[in-house]
Amino acid sequence: MKKLSLTFAIIFVMSSVIRADEGMWIPALLQRNEAEMQAMGMKITADDIYSINHSSMKDAVVLFGGGCTGELVSEQGLLLTNHHCGYGWIQRHSTVEHDYLTEGFWAMTQDEELPCPGLTAKMMRNMVDVTDKVLAGVTDATTDEEREKVIKENIDNIVKSVENDTEYAVTVESFYQGNQYFLIYNEIFRDTRMVGAPPSNIGKFGGDTDNWVWPRHTGDFSVFRIYVDKDGKPAEYNEDNVPYNPDYHFTISLKGVEEGDFTFVFGYPARTNEYLPSVAVNQEANVIYPVVVDLRTQILDIYNKYQEKDAKVRIQYASKHAGLGNGWKKWMGVIEGIRNFKGIEKKQAFEAAYNDWCMQERRRMKYMHALRDFTPVYEEYEKYRMASTYLNEAGLSVELIKFAANFNKLSTVDKDTPQEDIDKIINNLRGTTASFFKDYYQPIDEEVAVAMFEAYRANQPEDFRPGILNEIDSKYKGDVKAYVGYLFGKSIFTSEDKVNALLDDFKPGKAKKLAKDPALVAYNSMLDFYNENVKDKTIECNKKINNLRRVYMEGQMKMIPEVYPERNLYPDANFTLRVTYGKVGGFKPKDAVTYRHYTTLDGIMQKENPDIYDYVVTDRLRELYEAKDFGRYADKDGSMHVAFIAGNHTTGGNSGSPILNAEGELLGLNFDRTWEGTMSDLVYDPSICKNISVDIRYVLFLIDKYAGCRRLIEEMTIDE
């Protein structure tokens, strides 16, 4: 009876861990998924999605700016991504006089498209399994230290052997926690220009309140274009560069989606940790994330207070607010999802089944030991994780201190330092200084400093925190405000004029005085604490964890095919190109609550509130709504659909990814997940883990009818 129960337990656990609508699949191995995808409704082949023998969909998908995904939608390099992915560039191009965040931006000619220095678009051209070459020389007797050394040497040799024979950038990436390796060829485009963006009242409609929440009514898109030199090769920005003619671009569908439709997402998911043990998931959800949420709540409250009062401050802190707020809201959802949907309990159930499998044969004992050894390591690790969390989220959230850190190298020069080296440091600091003060408002930073230092001191022990925090007791009798007053009152880093004066007339003899600046002293106090007390222990714990995860992953790779042979096993996301697939459909997150799979422009009007910035509806959008002037972009029911949800397994980095129909046509842009399902980076539950996409018809409606930028529509291939 016990054996029968364990068998059912294993099947139940496997069913919940690996499903058709879960997984981030390697495109080069997609043939393994083709039959399942076609059974779910796909009408194309895996070769249409990924091929190195002819143009395919992979040639229209790029890693946008290192943190999002973009897709090509014309023969002239036109690229779509999310508004929040382009947000930093929209903000950088914005001023009070030209407030593109508020008003939107549309280049009505190619000459008006705005350069974005430093913005890259990376396209994966090929990937080759090199596992045998990377692991050559590694045996069961190889120690962890020797293994690391051998693998590094092998990877270096592999890269050197191919990099001179290709025009592409090459890297070797690890999959399945170091159990598989791929050599990846990437083409990197370095001239990407901003073409269009809706106003934030559309592109960020709902703001932090609606972020991660369904139903969504956000027109989360922006438009860029890739340029190349006259020979069609990637090049740095040059006025003579021309629009890129890609090997493939997506056809756009105006058919919309219905409940149960097959969809797939093609993009660059960032990081997931689906195979963590329960002890690790517990530490994330119940120890670390609550601290981060609390600290960021305090900072965001301060940002909000000042941004509501001043338009200039609102622009200055828009990108900072968005960056902090995105993770803040997500981690709240992760905490709630893990608790409400028994994420830790599900992990423990799997571990029980895994242990039973291990005990069936003596040779599997190493896999059981790996799982058990996680507990003492994570117990040791917690102290250092907490120290790092407070250092980064509290101490280094003070912008003054973080800015001062850039001057550390300058504060250590002496009379023997070559003038050429000093000049190089100073030139770099000039750009850093201009960028910092453009978006800096000291009253915000002072208030954040008081709040964060008080939280830091209250929650980290005296014998395990930076010395500067203890000096608040010894020198300022515990008065944090007095210390902050001194910090901001005496530091030169609050004044752009003083900083530029230092750079204009810097001599090595001034380095020692610079090193005594209160902001630099505070930074170095934090840095010293980290280097002396946290860094080595963190590295040591991470090495232990990574080695245990590799063995534990190897065990799972052996167990799952034996216990559940019809299921494939996907690797965690690592910012490499992946395919994920599932069906359109609503969900029921809690008792008596049921969501349908799409939203419409009606919902925007219902949420409208002229007194709340995130819910302001522009006059133009209201006019189009009242006139029902949706053109060919209206759904067959006559309404203007805005967003929809489906069961595609996505994460950060998938922002901006194309979501495609059974024919491989573009339906929309993935931009979020449902709040209840944000735990999907750690634990996947198909009943609540849904991805949210902006409907491509809403995107085109805004470009065409709202902005009047018809030239962009005419570039695209549109299937009605």
Side-chain angles (χ1 to χ4, degrees):
M1 191 67 173
K2 181 179 179 182
K3 182 176 180 181
L4 181 63
S5 298
L6 284 170
T7 300
F8 276 116
I10 291 172
I11 292 174
F12 171 77
V13 171
M14 289 302 97
S15 297
S16 65
V17 170
I18 310 168
R19 291 174 45 100
D21 46 6
E22 178 187 359
M24 297 176 173
W25 306 101
I26 299 172
L29 305 179
L30 203 60
Q31 296 287 350
R32 300 175 184 177
N33 303 78
E34 183 180 70
E36 181 178 60
M37 295 172 76
Q38 290 176 341
M40 292 174 66
M42 186 175 76
K43 298 178 181 178
I44 56 176
T45 67
D47 193 57
D48 294 322
I49 298 171
Y50 176 90
S51 176
I52 59 171
N53 298 316
H54 57 79
S55 62
S56 60
M57 293 179 191
K58 75 171 175 58
D59 302 314
V61 182
V62 299
L63 178 62
F64 178 84
C68 286
T69 301
E71 58 272 2
L72 295 164
V73 292
S74 86
E75 294 180 346
Q76 299 178 56
L78 198 65
L79 182 151
L80 297 179
T81 189
N82 286 156
H83 183 270
H84 75 261
C85 295
Y87 198 73
W89 293 102
I90 303 167
Q91 187 264 345
R92 287 177 213 183
H93 285 299
S94 293
T95 63
V96 173
E97 295 75 24
H98 298 286
D99 185 357
Y100 300 139
L101 288 174
T102 300
E103 299 163 4
F105 168 78
W106 301 100
M108 293 301 174
T109 66
Q110 281 193 9
D111 290 341
E112 295 176 0
E113 296 175 0
L114 299 176
C116 299
L119 176 59
T120 61
K122 183 165 71 174
M123 182 180 293
M124 195 268 283
R125 290 301 196 178
N126 191 14
M127 60 190 307
V128 180
D129 191 328
V130 291
T131 305
D132 290 344
K133 292 181 179 179
V134 171
L135 297 181
V138 175
T139 69
D140 289 341
T142 305
T143 66
D144 292 334
E145 290 76 13
E146 291 171 342
R147 177 189 177 93
E148 184 178 349
K149 181 180 179 182
V150 169
I151 287 175
K152 184 181 184 305
E153 290 178 353
N154 287 343
I155 288 175
D156 289 344
N157 290 334
I158 292 169
V159 171
K160 288 177 183 176
S161 70
V162 299
E163 61 183 356
N164 291 330
D165 297 324
T166 180
E167 59 186 318
Y168 302 131
V170 291
T171 62
V172 173
E173 302 293 341
S174 167
F175 295 77
Y176 296 106
Q177 313 304 327
N179 285 287
Q180 187 173 23
Y181 292 85
F182 276 88
L183 174 66
I184 298 180
Y185 295 77
N186 291 304
E187 187 166 22
I188 302 175
F189 300 92
R190 302 185 183 279
D191 183 359
T192 305
R193 307 182 194 180
M194 192 167 85
V195 176
S200 293
N201 293 131
I202 292 174
K204 241 178 134 291
F205 185 82
D208 287 331
T209 303
D210 282 9
N211 194 20
W212 300 102
V213 174
W214 184 259
R216 289 295 289 277
H217 298 86
T218 311
D220 197 347
F221 78 96
S222 55
V223 189
F224 290 77
R225 190 187 305 278
I226 294 175
Y227 282 76
V228 291
D229 65 20
K230 291 183 177 180
D231 295 324
K233 300 295 183 181
E236 298 290 343
Y237 170 79
N238 187 298
E239 288 184 358
D240 294 330
N241 285 350
V242 297
Y244 171 58
N245 181 10
D247 295 333
Y248 190 97
H249 70 275
F250 287 110
T251 295
I252 294 171
S253 171
L254 298 185
K255 299 170 187 173
V257 296
E258 301 288 348
E259 185 92 17
D261 281 356
F262 173 82
T263 60
F264 66 102
V265 171
F266 207 178
Y268 286 86
R271 299 289 172 191
T272 57
N273 287 288
E274 305 293 345
Y275 305 101
L276 282 178
S278 59
V279 63
V281 175
N282 180 66
Q283 186 174 99
E284 296 296 310
N286 295 321
V287 179
I288 302 301
Y289 289 169
V291 170
V292 177
V293 167
D294 176 63
L295 295 173
R296 291 196 177 194
T297 297
Q298 296 181 56
I299 296 172
L300 290 168
D301 285 346
I302 294 168
Y303 283 8
N304 287 334
K305 181 174 68 175
Y306 286 94
Q307 285 181 285
E308 289 170 2
K309 295 177 182 178
D310 190 316
K312 181 179 179 182
V313 174
R314 176 177 55 75
I315 295 171
Q316 288 177 312
Y317 278 74
S319 186
K320 298 173 188 176
H321 191 293
L324 278 179
N326 192 53
W328 165 79
K329 188 69 173 285
K330 172 191 169 182
W331 288 317
M332 284 196 291
V334 173
I335 294 167
E336 182 169 309
I338 292 289
R339 292 174 181 172
N340 291 348
F341 292 88
K342 309 300 182 185
I344 294 170
E345 290 83 351
K346 289 177 181 178
K347 287 284 186 180
Q348 290 169 339
F350 171 76
E351 289 163 8
Y354 175 87
N355 279 330
D356 181 66
W357 174 81
C358 289
M359 292 178 68
Q360 292 174 11
E361 294 185 24
R362 185 175 182 82
R363 63 187 175 87
R364 299 174 183 169
M365 287 299 102
K366 69 173 182 177
Y367 303 131
M368 178 185 286
H369 294 318
L371 178 58
R372 291 178 176 177
D373 288 346
F374 278 119
T375 297
V377 177
Y378 272 99
E379 287 175 352
E380 178 187 9
Y381 191 32
E382 185 171 308
K383 175 181 179 180
Y384 305 105
R385 281 292 308 279
M386 195 66 78
S388 295
T389 298
Y390 272 99
L391 182 66
N392 288 307
E393 296 287 338
L396 294 179
S397 66
V398 181
E399 296 175 84
L400 177 71
I401 294 174
K402 203 167 183 179
F403 173 55
N406 294 288
F407 290 75
N408 231 7
K409 184 179 288 188
L410 192 64
S411 73
T412 62
V413 304
D414 56 31
K415 59 183 179 62
D416 295 324
T417 305
Q419 187 61 43
E420 181 181 353
D421 292 349
I422 295 175
D423 290 342
K424 185 177 180 180
I425 294 170
I426 288 174
N427 287 334
N428 289 335
L429 288 173
R430 290 189 192 281
T432 302
T433 298
S435 177
F436 174 76
F437 283 104
K438 175 182 180 292
D439 296 323
Y440 182 64
Y441 188 61
Q442 185 173 327
I444 285 181
D445 202 25
E446 288 190 42
E447 196 165 331
V448 167
V450 171
M452 291 300 98
F453 285 143
E454 287 180 345
Y456 205 156
R457 292 174 71 249
N459 293 287
Q460 286 288 274
E462 290 184 24
D463 63 347
F464 202 66
R465 65 191 189 196
I468 194 70
L469 296 180
N470 293 333
E471 287 185 16
I472 294 175
D473 286 322
S474 61
K475 292 185 178 181
Y476 298 93
K477 299 180 180 180
D479 188 343
V480 172
K481 289 184 179 179
Y483 167 69
V484 170
Y486 160 76
L487 175 67
F488 283 80
K490 295 296 184 180
S491 175
I492 70 164
F493 295 113
T494 60
S495 168
E496 186 172 12
D497 289 340
K498 289 181 180 179
V499 173
N500 283 328
L502 169 73
L503 297 176
D504 288 342
D505 191 34
F506 182 80
K507 303 288 190 301
K510 295 183 178 182
K512 289 185 178 180
K513 181 179 179 181
L514 177 62
K516 295 179 181 178
D517 184 277
L520 206 47
V521 168
Y523 172 74
N524 281 311
S525 175
M526 295 179 193
L527 182 63
D528 291 345
F529 166 74
Y530 178 78
N531 286 336
E532 294 168 10
N533 300 280
V534 180
K535 181 180 178 180
D536 290 343
K537 284 293 185 179
T538 297
I539 293 172
E540 180 184 323
C541 287
N542 276 322
K543 282 186 176 180
K544 291 178 182 177
I545 288 169
N546 289 337
N547 287 323
L548 290 173
R549 289 188 68 184
R550 173 178 53 79
V551 178
Y552 182 43
M553 186 75 246
E554 182 183 339
Q556 293 177 81
M557 292 172 74
K558 293 179 181 297
M559 170 197 174
I560 289 172
E562 291 183 18
V563 175
Y564 217 56
E566 65 268 35
R567 297 295 187 184
N568 289 326
L569 188 69
Y570 65 93
D572 272 318
N574 61 353
F575 258 131
T576 58
L577 191 61
R578 303 292 181 89
V579 175
T580 178
Y581 51 94
K583 292 189 175 184
V584 173
F587 71 112
K588 299 178 180 180
K590 59 187 68 173
D591 184 45
V593 176
T594 301
Y595 292 124
R596 72 182 183 191
H597 66 278
Y598 68 93
T599 60
T600 70
L601 196 50
D602 294 342
I604 292 177
M605 299 306 159
Q606 292 164 8
K607 288 182 175 180
E608 180 182 12
N609 188 332
D611 297 325
I612 301 177
Y613 180 78
D614 289 333
Y615 293 101
V616 171
V617 175
T618 66
D619 292 339
R620 177 60 179 158
L621 187 59
R622 188 183 301 103
E623 289 171 6
L624 291 167
Y625 172 75
E626 291 175 350
K628 301 296 185 241
D629 186 7
F630 307 142
R632 58 177 173 159
Y633 311 115
D635 189 75
K636 61 185 178 182
D637 64 12
S639 67
M640 184 71 253
H641 285 212
V642 172
F644 63 93
I645 53 174
N648 295 286
H649 189 177
T650 60
T651 188
N654 275 126
S655 292
S657 294
I659 180 167
L660 306 151
N661 64 14
E663 290 81 15
E665 297 173 330
L666 186 64
L667 294 170
L669 316 181
N670 177 83
F671 71 90
D672 211 347
R673 285 171 283 168
T674 53
W675 194 57
E676 297 86 351
T678 50
M679 68 177 187
S680 62
D681 289 348
L682 302 173
V683 181
Y684 192 89
D685 187 322
S687 69
I688 57 166
C689 294
K690 306 290 182 179
N691 70 301
I692 306 175
S693 303
V694 57
D695 195 308
I696 195 64
R697 295 172 297 177
Y698 187 51
V699 172
L700 300 185
F701 159 75
L702 290 168
I703 293 173
D704 187 355
K705 308 292 286 187
Y706 181 91
C709 202
R710 183 72 187 174
R711 75 179 184 97
L712 301 182
I713 301 294
E714 292 172 352
E715 282 188 44
M716 304 177 195
T717 305
I718 299 176
D719 179 10
E720 302 199 40

